[in-house]
Amino acid sequence: DVTLNLVLPVGISFYTFQTLGYVLDVYRRTVPAQRNPLYVALYVSLFPQLVAGPIVRYETVAGEIVSRRENFDGFYEGMQRFLVGLGKKMLLANPLGEAAAAVFGLSAAALTPAKAWIGAVCFALQILFDFSGYSDMAIGMGRMFGFHFLENFDFPYLCNSITDFWRRWHISLSTWFRDYIYIPLGGNRKGRARQLLNLLIVWALTGLWHGASWNFVLWGLYFAVLLILEKLF
């Protein structure tokens, strides 16, 4: 057996999708091509959200890449948002993660239903505060430098359906797959059977985006099945 120990650059999934989105938008002529390579490099390597998102569309920051205003009020607002995100990560996500890990590390004999529920709730809150905290920090840091990034989380655990959940969780990723994969495949315009197939394709790719292993693909297909059941029933 041959094992490939590949070291991938940090944030590759985010700037790969940003670059793909930019190329596709230029091809579709929904945004004008940027002739200055330094501006394109700035967009691709925009460090506030490079590592953990959100995925920023070129059209969102095209004007601010060329001309933006930095001022004290904007810096102050950005600093406030950054500190909220830092608090979510350090004060909420990390302790909740430790609690979840402690529960998940118990033996089957020691794991009671109450402890299992506590572990599940802690883990659910950990991933929310961890990821939304990083998004808050990125949005805040961008604001400090004069950029206005779109929101990436909208109280996802207050959703009323699986569809609504994915309209609120990691919004930039969901809309990217919708606009660049789902709709070009036909979306819901070519009949119910084709729509369900499109959902399977999109969610298999969504799982693969999260990690290059079968467990992530199965995770994506799990959500595809839930969405398909929701569409059917």
Side-chain angles (χ1 to χ4, degrees), residues 2-100:
V2 178
T3 302
L4 296 178
N5 295 316
L6 299 177
V7 178
L8 298 177
V10 174
I12 186 172
S13 56
F14 288 99
Y15 60 73
T16 299
F17 270 34
Q18 290 192 184
T19 306
L20 279 172
Y22 168 71
V23 171
L24 290 170
D25 285 344
V26 171
Y27 175 76
R28 295 172 178 176
R29 298 186 179 181
T30 56
V31 299
Q34 175 54 252
R35 304 298 181 183
N36 188 329
L38 293 179
Y39 286 153
V40 177
L42 172 61
Y43 166 65
V44 174
S45 61
L46 203 56
F47 78 91
Q49 44 68 238
L50 186 64
V51 176
I55 300 170
V56 175
R57 303 280 185 93
Y58 180 73
E59 62 184 353
T60 302
V61 295
E64 291 172 339
I65 284 177
V66 177
S67 176
R68 63 190 175 278
R69 295 181 59 191
E70 298 101 348
N71 53 54
F72 179 81
D73 289 340
F75 191 91
Y76 177 71
E77 292 172 7
M79 180 64 76
Q80 284 185 312
R81 186 65 179 269
F82 180 87
L83 291 175
V84 167
L86 184 63
K88 283 183 180 180
K89 170 62 180 169
M90 301 302 296
L91 302 179
L92 295 174
N94 287 358
L96 286 165
E98 292 177 3

Side-chain angles (χ1 to χ4, degrees), residues 95-141:
L96 286 165
E98 292 177 3
V103 172
F104 295 156
L106 295 174
S107 65
L111 188 63
T112 64
K115 290 178 181 176
W117 273 109
I118 290 172
V121 170
C122 287
F123 180 69
L125 293 174
Q126 176 206 353
I127 59 175
L128 171 64
F129 291 128
D130 192 287
F131 203 175
S132 68
Y134 275 121
S135 291
D136 286 336
M137 285 189 275
I139 292 169
M141 199 179 302

